[in-house]
Amino acid sequence: MPLALLVLALSSFAIGTTEFVIMGLLPEVAADLSVTIPQAGRLVTGYALAVAIGAPVMAISTAKLKRRIALIALMAFFIAGNLLCALATDYWVLMIAGIVTALCHGAFFGIGSVVAAGLVAEDRKARAVALMFTGLTLANVLGVPLGTAIGQAYGWRATFGVVTVTILGLIAILPKDKKQQTGSILREIAALRNGGLWLALSTVFFAASMFALFTYIAPLLRDVTGVSPEGVTWTLFLIGLGLTVGNLIGGKLADWRLGVTLAGVFAAVAVTSIAFSYTSRFFIPAEITLFLWATASFAAVPALQVGVVGFGKDAPNLVSTINIGAFNTGNALGAWAGGLVIDAGFDLTRVPLAAALMALIGLGATALTYLSARGRAALALAE
């Protein structure tokens, strides 16, 4: 394993921990800053929107930099935001600090995945991207519980301080790579005209499908399955393991057949979501279904990331980063869609059906992308 790839995975672990740990520390943050739980929850919304908006802006801003320099600059930006989080004295300072941190998030994962793919042979690119994103999945499995424990023991600000120190150490050992070239702002923007980039729309609906269910998993487990609060925690750990396994499997499958992998993953997410609508009433079947759902869900991540970069190979930094922004846009869409089902008066068991619908739309978007790409290729040959 190239050292740079390991550093990228550890960096994604640290950044992912910062993004998700706030969910485990909401009560402490709300009490300390004298705000309500819903107000504290808007810190998560603000972060996600900042990622979606800031990702392409930061990618274009760093286009002329060598990728290693761009990654270090983004990590420095992340450190500044993280320190501001640790020192925040009121709610709005913390909100601004989160937004500052989020601005580098999408560009880091976008450019980092391009670097990761460039570190290995052609037939291992998706697996390299999957390894980098393993840091993000492990952030859910290990980083969030550990960060929550640190925050509960020493105050929520301590968690952000620890992550800051970690990132400083990673910057110090990020090795140089002579293959990392500078880009062009005009070329990056021009690449958006590629019709294949509609694959990013598939990412939106993949994330929407995932978060339509994931956002409301706790009330589903508690009120439908009858799981205790401690049981919910262990189920989330099981889901985290499924996400990690799926990410690694997805990388191997994407290196084999990218289009087939994407179609199969979207179909599997739809099937497991529908199944959970029925198995959610029984503990063991519910746990098995959730593990399979999580595995299927994150198997899409490396395939989508490598696929988008393949379609936008003339400007990989920007298109890869846009895909990360699309993922966060889907987060918001999925949470809204699941809430809409509940607000409409439907039973909680109908929320997974909304997730399945989003997955099927994503499958349709993927099919249209590849049909469009084939049509363009055939037209080019005819000319």
Side-chain angles (χ1 to χ4, degrees), residues 246-264:
N247 182 53
L248 296 175
I249 292 175
K252 291 184 179 181
L253 291 176
D255 279 330
W256 167 62
R257 291 283 295 277
L258 184 60
V260 172
T261 297
L262 284 172

Side-chain angles (χ1 to χ4, degrees), residues 134-179:
T134 297
L136 189 60
T137 60
L138 288 177
N140 282 283
V141 178
L142 301 174
V144 172
L146 182 59
T148 300
I150 291 173
Q152 291 171 343
Y154 302 103
W156 60 269
R157 291 177 178 83
T159 300
F160 294 100
V162 170
V163 174
T164 300
V165 173
T166 302
I167 291 291
L168 281 169
L170 292 172
I171 286 179
I173 61 174
L174 184 64
K176 295 181 180 180
D177 191 303
K178 295 180 180 179
K179 292 186 292 184

Side-chain angles (χ1 to χ4, degrees), residues 56-360:
V57 174
M58 295 298 284
I60 292 173
S61 300
T62 58
K64 287 192 172 184
L65 299 176
K66 287 189 175 182
R67 289 176 187 145
R68 177 181 181 273
I69 301 300
L71 287 175
I72 290 176
L74 291 167
M75 291 166 81
F77 214 74
F78 179 83
I79 287 171
N82 229 43
L83 278 175
L84 193 56
C85 286
L87 300 173
T89 55
D90 61 51
Y91 176 79
W92 287 110
V93 171
L94 184 58
M95 175 68 82
I96 293 170
I99 290 173
V100 169
T101 304
L103 287 175
C104 78
H105 178 119
F108 178 87
F109 278 100
I111 297 172
S113 63
V114 175
V115 172
L119 292 171
V120 297
E122 188 69 28
D123 62 347
R124 299 182 66 86
K125 288 185 180 297
R127 273 171 280 188
V129 173
L131 183 58
M132 177 186 168
F133 276 86
T134 297
L136 189 60
T137 60
L138 288 177
N140 282 283
V141 178
L142 301 174
V144 172
L146 182 59
T148 300
I150 291 173
Q152 291 171 343
Y154 302 103
W156 60 269
R157 291 177 178 83
T159 300
F160 294 100
V162 170
V163 174
T164 300
V165 173
T166 302
I167 291 291
L168 281 169
L170 292 172
I171 286 179
I173 61 174
L174 184 64
K176 295 181 180 180
D177 191 303
K178 295 180 180 179
K179 292 186 292 184
Q180 294 176 15
Q181 303 296 321
T182 58
S184 163
I185 294 175
L186 293 178
R187 189 179 68 187
E188 296 275 336
I189 295 174
L192 297 180
R193 294 178 297 187
N194 187 330
L197 290 180
W198 284 106
L199 189 60
L201 186 62
S202 300
T203 301
V204 172
F205 286 104
F206 150 68
S209 173
M210 180 177 176
F211 281 87
L213 175 53
F214 203 14
T215 302
Y216 302 98
I217 194 65
L220 262 164
L221 290 169
R222 183 191 62 201
D223 299 338
V224 178
T225 314
V227 175
S228 67
E230 293 78 13
V232 171
T233 300
W234 283 107
T235 300
L236 291 175
F237 178 75
L238 179 69
I239 290 173
L241 288 178
L243 296 176
T244 303
V245 171
N247 182 53
L248 296 175
I249 292 175
K252 291 184 179 181
L253 291 176
D255 279 330
W256 167 62
R257 291 283 295 277
L258 184 60
V260 172
T261 297
L262 284 172
V265 165
F266 275 110
V269 171
V271 168
T272 51
S273 296
I274 293 171
F276 185 64
S277 179
Y278 299 96
T279 62
S280 58
R281 295 179 175 84
F282 313 98
F283 177 70
I284 297 298
E287 297 287 302
I288 294 172
T289 305
L290 283 175
F291 179 80
L292 294 175
W293 166 81
T295 301
S297 292
F298 240 66
V301 172
L304 286 167
Q305 194 71 5
V306 170
V308 167
V309 172
F311 280 116
K313 56 187 175 183
D314 291 332
N317 288 7
L318 180 58
V319 298
S320 181
T321 299
I322 284 177
N323 199 49
I324 302 297
F327 181 84
N328 282 271
T329 301
N331 292 359
L333 175 62
W336 173 80
L340 196 63
V341 171
I342 298 170
D343 289 339
F346 290 102
D347 187 82
L348 278 168
T349 58
R350 294 296 177 263
V351 171
L353 298 181
L357 177 61
M358 294 291 180
L360 291 174

